[in-house]
Amino acid sequence: MNKTEKKWRWGAEIPRTDLACEGGTAAAEEETRTVEIGDSPVTVTRRRETDGGRSVTLSFGRITARGEGELTEMAETVADEMVAMAEAMTGRRIGGDLRVLVVGLGNRDMTPDAIGPGTVSRITVTRHLKAYDEALFGGLGCCELSALSPGVMGQTGMESGELVAAAVGLTTPHLVVAVDALAARSVERLSSTVQLSDWGIAPGAGIGNHRMPLTKESLGCPVLGVGVPTVVDSSTLVWDALMQGGMGEDDLPPELQRVLTEGRSFIVSPRDCDRMVELTCRMLAMALDMAFGVGEV
Amino acid sequence: MNKTEKKWRWGAEIPRTDLACEGGTAAAEEETRTVEIGDSPVTVTRRRETDGGRSVTLSFGRITARGEGELTEMAETVADEMVAMAEAMTGRRIGGDLRVLVVGLGNRDMTPDAIGPGTVSRITVTRHLKAYDEALFGGLGCCELSALSPGVMGQTGMESGELVAAAVGLTTPHLVVAVDALAARSVERLSSTVQLSDWGIAPGAGIGNHRMPLTKESLGCPVLGVGVPTVVDSSTLVWDALMQGGMGEDDLPPELQRVLTEGRSFIVSPRDCDRMVELTCRMLAMALDMAFGVGEV
Amino acid sequence: MNKTEKKWRWGAEIPRTDLACEGGTAAAEEETRTVEIGDSPVTVTRRRETDGGRSVTLSFGRITARGEGELTEMAETVADEMVAMAEAMTGRRIGGDLRVLVVGLGNRDMTPDAIGPGTVSRITVTRHLKAYDEALFGGLGCCELSALSPGVMGQTGMESGELVAAAVGLTTPHLVVAVDALAARSVERLSSTVQLSDWGIAPGAGIGNHRMPLTKESLGCPVLGVGVPTVVDSSTLVWDALMQGGMGEDDLPPELQRVLTEGRSFIVSPRDCDRMVELTCRMLAMALDMAFGVGEV
Amino acid sequence: MNKTEKKWRWGAEIPRTDLACEGGTAAAEEETRTVEIGDSPVTVTRRRETDGGRSVTLSFGRITARGEGELTEMAETVADEMVAMAEAMTGRRIGGDLRVLVVGLGNRDMTPDAIGPGTVSRITVTRHLKAYDEALFGGLGCCELSALSPGVMGQTGMESGELVAAAVGLTTPHLVVAVDALAARSVERLSSTVQLSDWGIAPGAGIGNHRMPLTKESLGCPVLGVGVPTVVDSSTLVWDALMQGGMGEDDLPPELQRVLTEGRSFIVSPRDCDRMVELTCRMLAMALDMAFGVGEV
């Protein structure tokens, strides 16, 4: 759902994007507002797809160009949208009776893929407090929050989605929040956008380590996808350049078609993506703690 | 099983050890051999407890005093004992039909507790190859190896044993190998010993983050415990000093009883434990790859 | 200076502490105030030693028992004291003309020794901006801030103090701020205290990796020491227990004297020191950014 | 030296490569041999440039496609070439009188840039042993080896080359070995090549964090560059695709020229570059320990 499925005549799926706003399909409904943070505004676009899926895209501009002091305000804006979507998706209010499992997808050892694990390692979980110190937990006024970074298949030998399903069986959450790196079509999107979506995470999203979708169908509970574009497929970058340079699909010589087809083995990321990933993880962890945990708004 | 259960009259369990050889109970059977590695011998003690439990204790002397070149030979010695125990515990031969799940217990952000996660991050898993490239897998001649570092409760909100049980449900292994840091009674044991045991891992072992035992009873499949003593409880250290200094249990003034009881919040570890943990993890990962995976002996 | 130099008749320096307030010497002058943060007060003690050295000790209670939201207020309190000491030590005002080099001593791979490197990795340096974008730098209104984590001798083969001296030659700072883990006498001090001192860092402080003092004499510019007690020597712990248990120095049997003398190879730290170190590093990095860099108060 | 200096009419330096063998200049002398390692041969090309510079390029094929067991043999081949170059460059024999400083350039938090710090963190330094335990050092039969990872300017506020120069002043080495990630022109080169060069490291090599050259001229002692291509500039990738697609330099519309000029802010790296970097660092650390330190051949 909401993923470009176009296949060119020579078999490749190019250009590729995991972002609803780049997908090339018109929204059934779209509404944009602006929030002033620091010197430059943040745009918040709520979108309903023709198949009913809902998403919110927050565009911050380059996170590395904003001061540290703006992270908290950005997190508050994200947290507000998370709370609204979570309550709509579960039909429940945020509070001590709501069980939320945050899942950090991706590979912690690969900088542009580390958004998920880097966010999860910075949030404060509370589920165990409910079991071991119910009075303390009650006083916190937060959800029952648990968290997992399932790693990637090359590290565990297991499909990450299966491990998530097992953790869902264990914690029986009302909501799974799945944080992941995404692939964008445009390098301008990198490090500047957060996409919240009620359809979860598609298989092969981002750097593409996971094959199993993380959706209400696969996990049995609603999945709020939190995606941050950190890479562009190198074939998408080249394709767009060729089209801009006036080449048509029909003009491509066979060796270029091969380059494009194989180009998904290579990713394009910003030279300063360590800083971008660190700031983004800190901002998302604050937002998740504010929305569901012990964070103070 | 095999844990000191002695409680002193004022309620504390001191001295504490997770090592069978320090437990103060006579073995039903014990046999020691010596392996020459580098300049100093390694002793390998196979022990049968009166309750039938079997363990092997390998004493290497301080791992940081041995050269890098000796790690491979040490790993071979450990791998041989692992293979013998694994085959005895499962009634199966090592090979492509044997499913093994390695579990790295403990906290990766806490140096002396990082033995489990540090070992797991260095092994090469193969389970996914069997599913996606059976010919390649067949050529490797190894077990179907998967691995998990479940983290600690303060990071996930989940009991690590429950996550392990979920991964067991997912991978249906014939054998779980649970790698963990242990608590010793004597500081001399630190960084010098590996204990293999067929009874798994006791609750509260090592730094004590896990409350659930990892045993055949709790997981439904045999559990080979691989324990490395990296800490001594500070109350155990003080207790032993007081006893050496000629104090009796009856002589202890109330404030000292309090110190001893609260002393389990503090751990004693070597000043160079970063180096000791790194070398131990590399050696254990080699041993596990040799015994069950793609390591070359 | 300000370090216990007492040697017992059998040659050992026990008990040991790096904290002025535990040193057993009366201050020439001492003044304490209280700051309300969260539910429990912080005490701030300014002390002048008889040799003229000045220090400020901030006692927060256990940092892990305070909420995340209190970190910012704690950092503000530390930053205020840092600014006062820095201006007194340099005779200059904080601003774009002041050059400050922050040094993170200790071993990043050893949790209780990671205070220095963990703090430095979280601060925002600005020195290069002054060189490459003077207009931007001028707008920030901060000092010219540079930072170095020199590692430990086992990692570099170099004395960390010599590397610091080289970086001082390179950046010609008006002030070096040296952040380090310290050894306390009492386990209650761990994770609850920050000591600022105008005499820098003594040789062998903390876990004891550095042999060279970091002082005005050794570096040629004033050194503001920022020390956080994270460990107790195991010999100090045992010594204090024996004294509490009524043993005298004369009563110690030779084997106990040996234990005490060798006990400096082992350190005592809290079971949750990963969390304590992470929170402390975040708080100190905020304080340093507020005092000298781009942090917002 | 040995770097493509071509500037196109619109000001950009495209395509870019840090590899002598891709530079497009004919060698004054070139000689290739083949070493059998595992199933596929390694080619070793020794090259003399017209300006007298000498380099050795080792082509292994994809390191991630080779078994763990081949790392040692690869390291031996690299170590042999390092020893030959080091002795030629210094006019001295390897041994206890030779002082070698290994420098790991790049950013440890950015996976494809972490070759230098990742290698340095795995080698065993010996310089401090010579000072503190000369008998032990003499028995090792190795060089006086020290090591430094100077970080990047965004982390320290200092030019990494200046810190290296300071460490050279401190350790007065006969040889600096500078390990760094490089940029290649062709994605096929990534993760498959090691380049040793006697001209050191050019400014802006690799991901481009350092502006100062590391050469005999800048440091005052010979510099053996050890470079591993891990990235391609995204503008180079696009340029090559356009040229392959039949576009000429004259045909480029202005917006594409802009894309190409700005494309150096983005890097192309393999999807599995975490694994490639880890294996390469382990192999290079083994090679350095074998060539100069305590590694066993």
Side-chain angles (χ1 to χ4, degrees):
Chain A
M1 174 170 31
N2 290 298
K3 284 203 61 206
T4 310
E5 295 292 343
K6 177 158 193 179
K7 285 268 191 306
W8 303 96
R9 107 179 41 122
W10 29 275
E13 183 193 311
I14 301 169
R16 173 185 169 226
T17 180
D18 296 328
L19 292 176
C21 61
E22 286 184 339
T25 331
E29 211 181 302
E30 192 173 286
E31 161 209 321
T32 296
R33 68 188 172 100
T34 298
V35 183
E36 297 300 326
I37 297 181
D39 292 336
S40 56
V42 172
T43 62
V44 180
T45 305
R46 299 183 180 196
R47 210 178 129 103
R48 188 167 57 79
E49 307 296 323
T50 49
D51 65 6
R54 286 174 183 277
S55 65
V56 180
T57 304
L58 300 103
S59 298
F60 296 102
R62 285 174 49 234
I63 195 169
T64 48
R66 288 182 176 267
E68 294 264 327
E70 299 176 23
L71 285 186
T72 307
E73 281 175 84
M74 291 162 69
E76 283 167 3
T77 310
V78 175
D80 287 346
E81 297 294 330
M82 283 177 171
V83 166
M85 288 188 74
E87 295 191 342
M89 290 168 71
T90 61
R92 289 166 169 270
R93 304 299 307 250
I94 301 293
D97 293 328
L98 191 74
R99 293 189 295 275
V100 177
L101 170 64
V102 179
V103 170
L105 299 168
N107 182 347
R108 77 175 70 230
D109 296 328
M110 177 80 170
T111 311
D113 202 23
I115 293 281
T119 300
V120 157
S121 73
R122 285 173 173 86
I123 67 177
T124 302
V125 296
T126 60
R127 178 177 177 264
H128 56 308
L129 298 179
K130 187 162 187 183
Y132 292 101
D133 191 344
E134 190 148 7
L136 170 60
F137 176 81
L140 294 172
C142 65
C143 301
E144 193 184 314
L145 192 62
S146 54
L148 182 71
S149 288
V152 294
M153 200 180 272
Q155 293 165 342
T156 63
M158 294 177 254
E159 164 68 57
S160 54
E162 291 183 317
L163 260 176
V164 173
V168 166
L170 200 61
T171 60
T172 60
H174 300 102
L175 180 71
V176 167
V177 181
V179 184
D180 200 6
L182 296 182
R185 175 166 181 174
S186 152
V187 293
E188 260 103 73
R189 286 276 168 201
L190 303 184
S191 72
S192 71
T193 303
V194 172
Q195 172 181 282
L196 311 179
S197 62
D198 70 0
W199 58 78
I201 301 284
I207 297 196
N209 297 297
H210 31 82
R211 290 160 209 217
M212 187 178 137
L214 291 182
T215 59
K216 186 167 189 176
E217 288 66 42
S218 68
L219 294 181
C221 82
V223 182
L224 172 55
V226 178
V228 177
T230 61
V231 294
V232 171
D233 274 351
S234 69
S235 51
T236 294
L237 183 84
V238 169
W239 168 268
D240 278 347
L242 291 169
M243 296 301 118
Q244 273 184 62
M247 308 279 298
E249 191 194 341
D250 296 331
D251 309 331
L252 297 180
E255 65 269 34
L256 259 187
Q257 293 176 14
R258 192 179 54 78
V259 166
L260 289 172
T261 314
E262 291 173 357
R264 287 205 52 192
S265 302
F266 296 92
I267 51 174
V268 179
S269 57
R271 228 167 255 281
D272 63 350
C273 82
D274 61 318
R275 180 92 180 127
M276 152 196 134
V277 167
E278 196 214 319
L279 291 173
T280 305
C281 291
R282 283 170 50 193
M283 191 267 285
L284 287 180
M286 267 195 273
L288 288 163
D289 277 344
M290 287 169 181
F292 306 115
V294 296
E296 291 168 28
V297 193
Chain B
M1 177 170 27
N2 290 297
K3 284 202 61 204
T4 310
E5 296 291 344
K6 176 156 192 180
K7 287 267 192 306
W8 302 95
R9 110 176 39 122
W10 28 274
E13 184 193 309
I14 301 169
R16 175 187 169 223
T17 180
D18 296 326
L19 292 175
C21 63
E22 286 184 338
T25 332
E29 211 181 302
E30 192 173 285
E31 161 208 322
T32 295
R33 68 189 171 98
T34 299
V35 183
E36 296 299 325
I37 297 181
D39 292 337
S40 56
V42 172
T43 61
V44 181
T45 304
R46 299 185 179 192
R47 211 179 128 103
R48 189 166 58 76
E49 307 297 323
T50 48
D51 65 6
R54 286 175 184 277
S55 65
V56 181
T57 303
L58 301 103
S59 299
F60 296 102
R62 284 175 49 232
I63 195 169
T64 49
R66 288 182 175 267
E68 293 265 327
E70 299 174 23
L71 286 186
T72 308
E73 283 175 82
M74 291 161 69
E76 283 167 3
T77 309
V78 174
D80 287 346
E81 298 295 330
M82 282 177 170
V83 166
M85 287 188 75
E87 294 191 342
M89 290 167 70
T90 62
R92 290 166 169 269
R93 304 298 306 249
I94 301 293
D97 294 328
L98 190 74
R99 294 190 295 276
V100 177
L101 170 63
V102 179
V103 170
L105 300 168
N107 182 348
R108 77 176 70 232
D109 296 329
M110 178 79 169
T111 311
D113 202 25
I115 292 280
T119 299
V120 157
S121 73
R122 286 172 171 87
I123 67 176
T124 303
V125 296
T126 60
R127 178 176 177 264
H128 56 307
L129 298 179
K130 188 163 188 183
Y132 292 102
D133 191 344
E134 190 150 5
L136 171 60
F137 177 80
L140 294 173
C142 65
C143 301
E144 194 183 312
L145 192 62
S146 53
L148 182 70
S149 289
V152 293
M153 199 179 273
Q155 294 164 343
T156 63
M158 294 178 253
E159 164 69 54
S160 55
E162 290 182 318
L163 259 177
V164 173
V168 166
L170 201 61
T171 59
T172 60
H174 301 101
L175 180 72
V176 167
V177 181
V179 184
D180 200 5
L182 297 183
R185 174 166 181 175
S186 153
V187 292
E188 260 102 73
R189 286 275 168 202
L190 303 185
S191 73
S192 72
T193 302
V194 172
Q195 172 181 283
L196 310 179
S197 61
D198 70 359
W199 58 77
I201 301 284
I207 297 197
N209 297 298
H210 30 83
R211 290 161 208 216
M212 186 178 136
L214 292 182
T215 59
K216 187 167 189 177
E217 287 66 45
S218 68
L219 294 179
C221 82
V223 182
L224 173 55
V226 179
V228 177
T230 62
V231 294
V232 171
D233 274 352
S234 69
S235 51
T236 295
L237 183 84
V238 169
W239 169 269
D240 278 346
L242 292 170
M243 296 302 120
Q244 272 185 63
M247 309 279 298
E249 191 193 338
D250 296 330
D251 309 332
L252 298 180
E255 65 268 34
L256 259 187
Q257 293 177 15
R258 193 179 53 78
V259 166
L260 290 172
T261 314
E262 290 172 0
R264 288 207 51 193
S265 302
F266 297 92
I267 51 174
V268 179
S269 57
R271 228 167 255 280
D272 63 350
C273 83
D274 62 318
R275 180 89 181 131
M276 153 195 134
V277 167
E278 195 214 320
L279 292 173
T280 304
C281 291
R282 284 169 51 193
M283 192 268 285
L284 288 180
M286 268 195 270
L288 288 163
D289 277 345
M290 287 170 182
F292 307 113
V294 296
E296 292 168 27
V297 191
Chain C
M1 175 169 34
N2 291 296
K3 283 201 65 207
T4 309
E5 294 292 343
K6 176 156 192 180
K7 287 265 191 308
W8 303 95
R9 110 178 38 122
W10 28 275
E13 183 193 311
I14 301 169
R16 175 188 168 222
T17 180
D18 296 326
L19 292 175
C21 63
E22 285 183 338
T25 331
E29 208 180 305
E30 191 174 285
E31 157 208 325
T32 295
R33 69 189 171 100
T34 298
V35 183
E36 296 299 325
I37 297 181
D39 292 337
S40 55
V42 172
T43 61
V44 181
T45 304
R46 300 184 180 194
R47 209 179 130 102
R48 188 165 60 78
E49 307 297 322
T50 48
D51 64 6
R54 288 175 182 277
S55 65
V56 180
T57 304
L58 300 103
S59 298
F60 296 103
R62 284 174 48 233
I63 195 169
T64 49
R66 288 183 176 266
E68 294 264 328
E70 299 175 22
L71 285 186
T72 307
E73 282 175 86
M74 290 161 70
E76 283 167 3
T77 309
V78 174
D80 287 347
E81 298 295 331
M82 282 177 171
V83 166
M85 287 187 74
E87 296 191 342
M89 289 167 71
T90 61
R92 289 166 168 270
R93 304 299 306 251
I94 301 292
D97 293 328
L98 190 74
R99 293 190 294 276
V100 178
L101 169 64
V102 179
V103 170
L105 299 168
N107 183 346
R108 76 175 71 232
D109 296 328
M110 177 80 168
T111 310
D113 201 26
I115 292 281
T119 299
V120 157
S121 74
R122 286 172 171 87
I123 67 176
T124 302
V125 296
T126 59
R127 178 175 178 266
H128 56 310
L129 298 180
K130 186 161 188 184
Y132 293 102
D133 191 344
E134 190 151 4
L136 172 59
F137 176 81
L140 294 172
C142 65
C143 300
E144 193 183 315
L145 192 63
S146 54
L148 181 71
S149 289
V152 293
M153 201 181 271
Q155 294 165 344
T156 62
M158 292 177 254
E159 164 68 55
S160 55
E162 290 182 317
L163 260 176
V164 173
V168 166
L170 201 60
T171 60
T172 59
H174 300 101
L175 180 71
V176 167
V177 181
V179 184
D180 200 6
L182 297 182
R185 173 167 183 174
S186 152
V187 293
E188 260 103 73
R189 286 274 168 203
L190 303 184
S191 71
S192 72
T193 303
V194 172
Q195 172 182 284
L196 310 179
S197 61
D198 70 0
W199 58 79
I201 301 283
I207 297 197
N209 297 297
H210 29 83
R211 292 162 207 215
M212 185 177 136
L214 292 181
T215 59
K216 187 166 188 178
E217 286 67 44
S218 67
L219 295 179
C221 82
V223 183
L224 173 54
V226 179
V228 178
T230 62
V231 295
V232 171
D233 276 352
S234 69
S235 51
T236 295
L237 183 84
V238 169
W239 168 269
D240 277 347
L242 292 170
M243 296 302 118
Q244 273 184 61
M247 307 280 297
E249 192 194 338
D250 297 329
D251 308 332
L252 297 180
E255 64 270 34
L256 260 186
Q257 293 177 13
R258 194 179 51 79
V259 165
L260 290 172
T261 313
E262 291 173 358
R264 288 206 50 193
S265 303
F266 297 92
I267 50 174
V268 180
S269 57
R271 227 167 257 282
D272 63 350
C273 82
D274 62 317
R275 181 89 181 129
M276 153 195 134
V277 167
E278 195 214 320
L279 291 173
T280 304
C281 290
R282 284 170 51 193
M283 192 268 284
L284 287 181
M286 267 195 272
L288 288 163
D289 277 343
M290 287 169 182
F292 305 114
V294 296
E296 294 168 25
V297 191
Chain D
M1 176 168 30
N2 291 296
K3 283 203 64 205
T4 309
E5 295 291 342
K6 176 156 192 178
K7 286 269 193 305
W8 303 96
R9 120 174 30 123
W10 27 275
E13 182 195 311
I14 301 169
R16 173 187 170 224
T17 180
D18 296 326
L19 291 176
C21 62
E22 286 184 338
T25 331
E29 210 182 303
E30 192 173 286
E31 160 209 322
T32 296
R33 69 189 171 99
T34 298
V35 183
E36 297 300 325
I37 297 181
D39 292 337
S40 56
V42 171
T43 62
V44 180
T45 303
R46 299 183 179 194
R47 210 180 129 104
R48 188 166 58 79
E49 307 296 323
T50 48
D51 65 6
R54 287 175 182 277
S55 65
V56 180
T57 305
L58 301 103
S59 298
F60 296 102
R62 283 174 50 232
I63 196 170
T64 49
R66 290 184 176 265
E68 294 264 327
E70 299 175 23
L71 285 186
T72 308
E73 282 175 83
M74 291 161 70
E76 283 166 3
T77 308
V78 174
D80 287 346
E81 298 294 332
M82 282 177 172
V83 166
M85 288 188 74
E87 295 191 341
M89 289 167 70
T90 61
R92 289 165 169 269
R93 304 298 307 251
I94 302 292
D97 293 328
L98 191 74
R99 294 188 295 274
V100 178
L101 169 64
V102 179
V103 170
L105 300 168
N107 182 347
R108 77 177 69 232
D109 295 329
M110 178 80 168
T111 311
D113 202 24
I115 291 281
T119 298
V120 157
S121 73
R122 285 171 172 88
I123 67 176
T124 303
V125 296
T126 60
R127 178 176 178 265
H128 55 309
L129 298 180
K130 188 162 187 183
Y132 293 102
D133 191 344
E134 190 149 7
L136 171 60
F137 176 80
L140 294 172
C142 64
C143 300
E144 194 183 312
L145 192 63
S146 54
L148 182 71
S149 289
V152 294
M153 200 180 272
Q155 294 165 344
T156 62
M158 294 177 252
E159 164 68 56
S160 54
E162 290 182 317
L163 260 176
V164 173
V168 166
L170 201 59
T171 60
T172 59
H174 301 103
L175 180 71
V176 167
V177 181
V179 184
D180 200 6
L182 297 182
R185 174 166 182 176
S186 153
V187 293
E188 260 103 73
R189 286 275 167 201
L190 303 184
S191 71
S192 71
T193 302
V194 172
Q195 172 181 284
L196 311 180
S197 61
D198 70 0
W199 58 79
I201 301 283
I207 296 196
N209 297 298
H210 30 83
R211 290 160 208 214
M212 186 179 136
L214 292 182
T215 58
K216 187 167 187 174
E217 287 66 44
S218 67
L219 294 180
C221 82
V223 183
L224 172 55
V226 178
V228 177
T230 62
V231 294
V232 171
D233 273 352
S234 69
S235 50
T236 295
L237 184 85
V238 168
W239 168 269
D240 278 348
L242 292 169
M243 296 302 118
Q244 272 184 62
M247 307 281 298
E249 192 194 339
D250 297 331
D251 308 333
L252 297 181
E255 65 269 33
L256 259 187
Q257 293 176 13
R258 192 179 52 79
V259 165
L260 290 172
T261 313
E262 292 173 359
R264 287 205 51 192
S265 302
F266 296 92
I267 51 173
V268 180
S269 58
R271 225 168 258 282
D272 63 349
C273 82
D274 61 318
R275 180 90 181 129
M276 155 196 132
V277 168
E278 195 214 321
L279 291 173
T280 304
C281 291
R282 284 170 49 193
M283 192 267 285
L284 287 179
M286 267 194 273
L288 288 163
D289 277 343
M290 287 169 183
F292 306 113
V294 296
E296 294 169 25
V297 192

